[in-house]
């Protein structure tokens, strides 16, 4: 798709005084597929900043011989997870940075400013049945186990490159009969050692790190609204939740003072229950560290 060479892109980055980490192998001609044209310098700088924010994590997680081909961003949701795992809080937990390498598609949970968190998902190309653009403009990934991931807000240029790179690497995997073992098509990785953690498991068998289960966070949120947000390190959301809880608590007290004891108690319980349900949904969308790894071991490379 691109007629650029690695050297041409490298010279352009050097001209703009932009330096990528020498510890990471990049395919520059797909990472920056255009270097000429109106406003291209600004576009390169924006893309460069997005890559640089990910580099500290990429330096740790990339395997020997793994090369970064493309970096983009968008929100992420699935039809099943929308209802089962965080639909009501999807907006606050769906920001993603997407990295395509020659081995897999990596999805990083990020803050609104693009800063990555240690919540990472991995999809080998052998698990990727198709990557298409829907009529609504969403980037849709259909996985071998039936999971469907939808990424809105990815620009059209990145979508075209994602389709091209996915097709290219899926063919390479098929030609070499390469099919790494997985526990699910979209593997959730430990934020400490980057080993795969199966669905509904909250302890890493590679390094021993322990994560909060949605039930644990839900119970604590019921006992004290905003506690769950604090455990998930969503401190701003915890502040707003606590203030909202305090408002409903005062309303419940007022109802009790007026003799409406059942109304006051029901309002109090429903407020706590709603917060517990919302935080359980949010907690099911990622792994939130409870106890750090006793050993600093990195997960073994796939076969």
């Amino acid at each position: 798709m691109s007629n650029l060479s690695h050297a041409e892109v490298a010279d352009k980055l050097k001209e703009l005084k932009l330096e990528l980490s020498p510890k990471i192998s990049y395919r520059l001609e797909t990472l920056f597929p255009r270097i000429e044209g109106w406003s291209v310098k600004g576009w390169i700088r924006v893309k460069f900043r997005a890559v640089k924010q990910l580099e500290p994590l990429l330096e740790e997680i990339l395997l020997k011989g793994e090369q970064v081909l493309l970096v983009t961003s968008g929100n992420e949701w699935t039809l099943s997870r929308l209802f089962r795992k965080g639909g009501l809080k999807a907006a606050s937990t769906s920001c993603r940075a997407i990295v395509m390498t020659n081995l897999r598609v990596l999805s990083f949970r990020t803050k609104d400013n693009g800063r990555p968190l240690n919540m990472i998902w991995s999809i080998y190309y052998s698990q990727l049945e198709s990557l298409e653009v829907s009529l609504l403009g969403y980037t849709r990934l259909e996985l071998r186990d039936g999971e469907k991931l939808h990424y809105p807000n990815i620009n059209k240029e990145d979508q075209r490159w994602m389709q091209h790179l996915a097709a290219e690497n899926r063919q390479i995997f098929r030609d070499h009969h390469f099919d790494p073992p997985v526990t699910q098509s979209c593997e959730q990785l430990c934020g400490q050692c980057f080993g795969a953690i199966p669905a509904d498991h909250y302890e890493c068998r590679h390094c021993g790190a322990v994560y909060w289960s949605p039930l644990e966070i839900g119970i604590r949120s019921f006992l004290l609204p905003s506690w769950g947000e604090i455990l998930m390190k969503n401190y701003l959301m915890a502040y707003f939740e606590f203030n909202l809880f305090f408002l409903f608590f005062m309303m419940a007290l007022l109802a009790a003072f007026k003799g409406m004891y059942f109304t006051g108690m029901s309002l109090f319980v429903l407020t706590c229950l709603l917060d517990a349900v919302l935080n359980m949904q949010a907690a099911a969308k990622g792994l939130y560290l409870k106890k750090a790894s006793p050993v600093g071991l990195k997960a073994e490379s796939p076969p």
Side-chain angles (χ1 to χ4, degrees):
M1 286 179 61
S2 174
N3 294 321
L4 293 174
S5 69
H6 184 95
E8 287 175 314
V9 181
D11 288 344
K12 187 66 174 183
L13 294 178
K14 186 176 180 180
E15 174 191 324
L16 297 174
K17 296 181 172 60
L18 304 177
E19 185 177 352
L20 294 168
S21 171
K23 297 179 181 179
I24 299 174
S25 174
Y26 290 105
R27 190 192 292 180
L28 294 180
E29 59 272 30
T30 57
L31 192 64
F32 300 97
R34 53 188 172 93
I35 58 174
E36 301 293 341
W38 182 76
S39 75
V40 72
K41 291 182 179 179
W43 174 82
I44 290 175
R45 287 191 174 96
V46 170
K47 176 77 76 171
F48 174 81
R49 284 195 294 270
V51 175
K52 290 299 287 184
Q53 287 195 99
L54 295 172
E55 279 193 337
L57 265 179
L58 289 174
E59 287 178 1
E60 294 188 77
I61 195 174
L62 293 178
L63 304 172
K64 184 178 180 180
E66 193 167 8
Q67 184 181 47
V68 174
L69 312 180
L70 179 143
V71 173
T72 188
S73 62
N75 296 330
E76 183 269 327
W77 57 274
T78 70
L79 290 176
S80 59
R81 291 176 184 173
L82 187 64
F83 296 102
R84 292 189 294 106
K85 297 186 174 182
L88 296 175
K89 277 197 167 185
S92 64
T93 59
S94 61
C95 295
R96 296 283 190 269
I98 302 160
V99 177
M100 297 186 75
T101 76
N102 57 332
L103 179 66
R104 52 190 169 166
V105 180
L106 293 168
S107 178
F108 297 82
R109 165 91 180 278
T110 68
K111 295 184 177 181
D112 292 340
N113 61 7
R115 182 181 175 185
L117 303 171
N118 279 43
M119 290 187 191
I120 309 158
W121 292 260
S122 170
I123 305 169
Y124 289 114
Y125 290 108
S126 54
Q127 296 294 322
L128 182 60
E129 292 292 331
S130 68
L131 193 157
E132 305 292 343
V133 178
S134 72
L135 293 176
L136 297 177
Y138 293 174
T139 305
R140 183 178 65 243
L141 280 66
E142 295 189 10
L143 308 183
R144 184 189 288 182
D145 63 6
E147 190 80 47
K148 294 180 176 63
L149 305 177
H150 297 76
Y151 292 89
N153 307 325
I154 296 178
N155 66 68
K156 291 184 178 180
E157 182 178 36
D158 284 347
Q159 286 179 327
R160 289 193 295 270
W161 275 105
M162 288 179 73
Q163 288 180 289
H164 173 74
L165 293 171
E168 175 187 281
N169 285 289
R170 285 171 57 220
Q171 187 61 49
I172 292 173
F173 269 55
R174 284 195 293 265
D175 290 346
H176 290 81
H177 306 287
F178 185 54
D179 190 4
V182 298
T183 65
Q184 54 188 332
S185 290
C186 184
E187 293 275 32
Q188 185 155 258
L189 306 185
C190 173
Q192 301 288 292
C193 73
F194 312 120
I197 298 181
D200 302 320
H201 287 67
Y202 301 98
E203 183 172 355
C204 178
R205 63 182 176 87
H206 300 281
C207 70
V210 180
Y211 295 87
W212 293 101
S213 72
L215 181 60
E216 289 176 315
I217 286 180
I219 290 172
R220 285 159 176 78
S221 298
F222 180 79
L223 296 175
L224 178 63
S226 77
W227 190 357
E229 294 287 4
I230 292 172
L231 295 178
M232 294 185 287
K233 295 182 171 57
N234 297 328
Y235 300 117
L236 183 60
M237 184 66 71
Y239 172 78
F240 285 116
E241 278 192 7
F242 184 80
N243 282 284
L244 187 62
F245 165 71
F246 182 76
L247 175 63
F248 278 99
F249 178 71
M250 295 305 295
M251 291 171 62
L253 282 180
L254 181 61
F257 283 138
K258 291 183 176 181
M260 295 182 289
Y261 301 108
F262 180 77
T263 300
M265 181 60 69
S266 298
L267 182 62
F268 178 77
V269 171
L270 287 174
T271 300
C272 295
L273 184 61
L274 178 61
D275 189 71
V277 171
L278 291 175
N279 283 330
M280 284 181 67
Q281 290 181 325
K285 290 175 67 66
L287 293 173
Y288 296 90
L289 188 64
K290 179 179 182 181
K291 182 181 178 182
S293 165
V295 293
L297 297 178
K298 187 173 180 179
E300 295 180 359
S301 303

